[in-house]
Amino acid sequence: MTDTDLRAMAERFLSALKHCQLLRMRVHHADAEGMTLVLPWSAAIVGNPQTGAVHGGALTTLMDTTCGMATLCALPRFEVCPTLDLRIDYMHPAEAGKDIHGHAQCYRVTRDVIFTRGTAYQDDPSRPICHVVGTFMRLGQEVKGGIRFGNSLKEERS
């Protein structure tokens, strides 16, 4: 799969996630090395009104989505891969008024589980807001509910 195809698939996937649409998340970069998404800063994601720091839930959403979408970079075709486990170590609060980048990559793919790691940062990737590791279960290519990802439409399983 080319980087262009991968990015197009990532954009389709992200557009199917209502909570990501509400947060205005977007694909920044996608290639075989990993996925980078952007969470634009807005007053709606502030967790501390006194400082303007971003709420931890918004960061968790960014990093769970980024790690989950990094599975697209490691697999030859789209597969449903729900989150099994996600651990986030927060280093420092996100600064008010600045977009947040989430980057993740897959470092091990097995028959049943995909292992990911990543960081969230603002201006400098070497100064992460948080580190994350996640595991995702491989359910296969069939998609419940008739959602279209890639070139085919799969019907709901019985």
Side-chain angles (χ1 to χ4, degrees):
M1 178 178 335
T2 69
D3 290 354
T4 303
D5 293 337
L6 179 59
R7 184 180 179 115
M9 184 176 11
E11 288 172 348
R12 280 193 307 272
F13 183 80
L14 195 61
S15 72
L17 302 173
K18 184 67 172 173
H19 61 288
C20 293
Q21 292 173 13
L22 292 171
L23 290 170
R24 299 182 305 133
M25 288 171 49
R26 66 184 185 275
V27 176
H28 178 72
H29 185 79
D31 64 21
E33 298 302 312
M35 181 72 58
T36 304
L37 301 180
V38 175
L39 173 64
W41 188 89
S42 75
I45 63 171
V46 169
N48 183 339
Q50 294 177 343
T51 65
V54 173
H55 191 280
L59 282 171
T60 299
T61 300
L62 171 66
M63 295 315 299
D64 183 38
T65 305
T66 305
C67 287
M69 288 180 62
T71 64
L72 299 172
C73 303
L75 298 172
R77 292 175 305 280
F78 175 82
E79 292 185 32
V80 176
C81 299
T83 308
L84 286 172
D85 186 53
L86 190 73
R87 176 195 163 107
I88 300 178
D89 294 323
Y90 292 95
M91 305 288 111
H92 63 87
E95 295 178 42
K98 294 183 178 180
D99 294 350
I100 302 171
H101 291 77
H103 175 76
Q105 65 184 65
C106 298
Y107 65 92
R108 180 162 163 72
V109 178
T110 69
R111 188 189 77 192
D112 298 315
V113 179
I114 299 176
F115 298 84
T116 66
R117 61 181 158 224
T119 59
Y121 61 92
Q122 287 178 302
D123 298 323
D124 183 0
S126 69
R127 190 171 179 268
I129 296 165
C130 65
H131 289 267
V132 61
V133 292
T135 53
F136 295 82
M137 180 185 293
R138 293 181 71 180
L139 297 179
Q141 290 183 273
E142 293 186 29
V143 179
K144 289 191 172 206
I147 299 172
R148 182 183 302 273
F149 295 108
N151 295 325
S152 63
L153 179 66
K154 299 289 184 177
E155 295 301 320
E156 186 171 3
R157 293 186 213 176
S158 301

